[in-house]
């Protein structure tokens, strides 16, 4: 059980803080143990994953009991929630129960139970993907995988029991729940969840490590006093989405340190990261963490192409990863498993990346929507979008390839923003990237088409 250290470590009087609620390590062990005592059967247990101390107790209690945890987003609708509960086979519910849920609610026992012996290879967490290409899929993460992923980050980020981790991220994803909360509990460090990721709340914590997504970091630098308060921290970590270079620079200017960027997925945890004691480069997600391996395959199906792409920092390839932190597959989805596993432990991420001679990686987009073949070049639209977002006239952008009789595909940028000078934006990209990556056309819109999850629907553009 990967949280055995929870009961072995020295006590902390403020081990977990969520908003105004604080638990010492002993109090958390007691409450989690009583929650574990009330779990009927062997689970899984669905946890209404609000930003609350009750969520931390429920997740920790289920793990101590050796029962799989199924975090359920608190804003999920009845259809999504019903699919997750049915697909996971959840047998109990933790937290406030919506009217459409008929599972029994876990009632804590009078006396706590100790950690149960658990096979490390057994599923510890079932995390459901966003479902942007169909119904959400349940990614099965074992205790061994979670432990391996966290232990790698302790080394890469110089994370020690003396650290205090602060964030306000959702408690139903890898970033907020596994890294932020379980990572701190396993390491023996303190964790403070600010409930909402607001700049003033981040600044008030006085933590040594902060986790955030680009939206959070953008809000923080828009309040310079809050940003400067983070200068006392030793590590500012950004992930879950690309960090624009201009935002990277603003964070560094206001806090005195460049942020650490990293790359991961629900299925893989974190496989790439800049190191706390190493280089931090805007737009690049660093090196493989200990135990992880990567390979870049040609972004083409031509059998005459080389087996891998050159490490020149420019050539785009299909990113595959493997390592002990990867999931065991999607629950009840043999079709999806056949599609994502390439053999010998390699997982097809679906992302496009480049790698330089030093092993640093840069993610340039998703293969399904972001690979553009123009004039004989293979181009990832994500890097063009990142450059355009650095222009002050651009607030939103989506870059796609549209059919072209001469180029095969021509690069078109769909832009939401204040300015409407296409040539200025084209020249901006040409000045930052290779000439062939410049948009041949810029279309100005009032808004980008998005699905109910907020994801841009690129397939509706350029048609």
């Amino acid at each position: 059980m990967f949280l055995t250290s929870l009961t072995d470590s020295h006590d902390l009087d403020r081990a977990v803080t969520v908003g105004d609620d604080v638990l010492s390590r002993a109090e958390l062990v007691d409450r989690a143990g009583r929650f574990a005592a009330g779990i009927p059967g062997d689970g899984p247990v669905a946890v209404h994953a609000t930003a609350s101390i009750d969520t931390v107790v429920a997740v920790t209690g289920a793990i101590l009991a050796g029962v799989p945890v199924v975090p359920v987003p608190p804003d999920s609708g009845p259809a999504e929630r019903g699919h997750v509960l049915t697909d996971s086979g959840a047998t109990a519910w933790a937290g406030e129960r919506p009217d459409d849920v008929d599972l029994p609610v876990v009632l804590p026992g009078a006396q706590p139970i100790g950690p149960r012996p658990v096979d490390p290879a057994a599923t510890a967490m079932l995390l459901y993907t966003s479902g942007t290409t169909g119904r959400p899929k349940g990614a099965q993460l074992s205790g061994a995988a979670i432990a391996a992923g966290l232990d790698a980050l302790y080394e890469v980020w110089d994370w020690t029991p003396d650290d205090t981790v602060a964030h306000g991220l959702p408690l139903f994803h890898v970033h907020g729940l596994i890294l932020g909360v379980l990572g701190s509990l396993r390491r023996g460090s303190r964790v403070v969840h600010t409930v909402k990721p607001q700049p003033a709340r981040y600044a008030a914590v006085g933590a040594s490590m902060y986790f955030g997504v680009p939206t959070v970091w953008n809000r923080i630098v828009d309040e310079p006093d809050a940003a400067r308060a983070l200068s006392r921290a030793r590590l500012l970590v950004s992930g879950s989405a690309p960090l624009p270079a201009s935002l990277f620079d603003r964070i560094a200017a206001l806090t005195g340190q460049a942020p650490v960027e990293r790359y991961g997925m629900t299925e893989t945890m974190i496989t790439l990261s800049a190191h706390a004691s190493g280089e931090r480069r805007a737009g690049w997600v660093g090196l493989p963490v200990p135990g992880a391996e990567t390979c870049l395959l040609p972004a083409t199906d031509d059998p005459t192409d080389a087996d891998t792409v050159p490490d020149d920092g420019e050539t785009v390839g299909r990113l595959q990863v493997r390592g002990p932190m990867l999931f065991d597959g999607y629950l009840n989805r043999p079709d999806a498993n056949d599609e994502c596993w390439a053999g010998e432990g390699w997982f097809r991420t679906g992302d496009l990346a480049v790698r330089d001679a030093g092993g640093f990686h840069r993610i340039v987009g998703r293969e399904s929507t972001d690979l553009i073949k123009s004039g004989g070049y293979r181009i990832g639209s994500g890097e063009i979008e990142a450059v355009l977002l650095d222009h002050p006239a651009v607030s939103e952008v989506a870059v796609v390839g549209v059919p072209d009789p001469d180029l095969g595909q021509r690069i078109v940028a769909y832009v939401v923003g204040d300015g409407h000078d296409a040539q200025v934006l084209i020249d901006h990209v040409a000045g930052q990237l290779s000439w062939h990556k410049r948009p041949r056309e810029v279309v100005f819109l009032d808004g980008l088409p998005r699905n109910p999850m907020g994801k841009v629907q690129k397939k509706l553009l350029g048609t």
Side-chain angles (χ1 to χ4, degrees), residues 1-6 63 124-125 142-144 146-147 150 182 186:
M1 197 274 296
F2 66 93
L3 283 186
T4 300
S5 57
L6 182 67
I63 291 170
M125 302 198 77
S142 69
I146 294 173
L150 293 175
L182 300 185
R186 178 173 173 82

Side-chain angles (χ1 to χ4, degrees), residues 178-192:
I178 296 184
L179 305 189
V181 175
L182 300 185
S184 299
L185 295 179
R186 178 173 173 82
R187 192 56 172 151
S189 53
R190 292 177 173 85
V191 59
V192 177

Side-chain angles (χ1 to χ4, degrees), residues 153 156-157 175 179 210-214 217 235-249 251-252 257-264 270-276 278-289 360-363 386 390:
L153 293 181
V156 167
W157 293 345
H175 198 168
L179 305 189
Y210 287 88
F211 295 169
V213 298
W217 291 118
L235 207 66
L236 309 176
V237 180
S238 182
S240 299
L243 187 71
S246 59
L247 181 52
F248 181 101
D249 292 338
I251 295 169
Q257 63 169 301
V260 164
E261 295 187 65
R262 83 317 180 270
Y263 166 82
I270 306 304
T271 50
L272 294 165
S273 179
H275 287 222
E279 179 184 6
R280 307 177 192 181
R281 190 189 311 170
W284 294 73
V285 292
L287 304 163
V289 302
F360 251 59
H361 294 66
R362 179 162 53 90
I363 308 300
D390 273 337

Side-chain angles (χ1 to χ4, degrees), residues 6 19 63 67 85 216 222 240 265 279 292 310 318 321 343 345 354 392 416 439:
L6 182 67
I63 291 170
V67 174
L85 298 183
V216 172
D222 280 345
S240 299
M265 303 175 66
E279 179 184 6
R318 295 166 169 160
V321 300
V354 301
V416 178

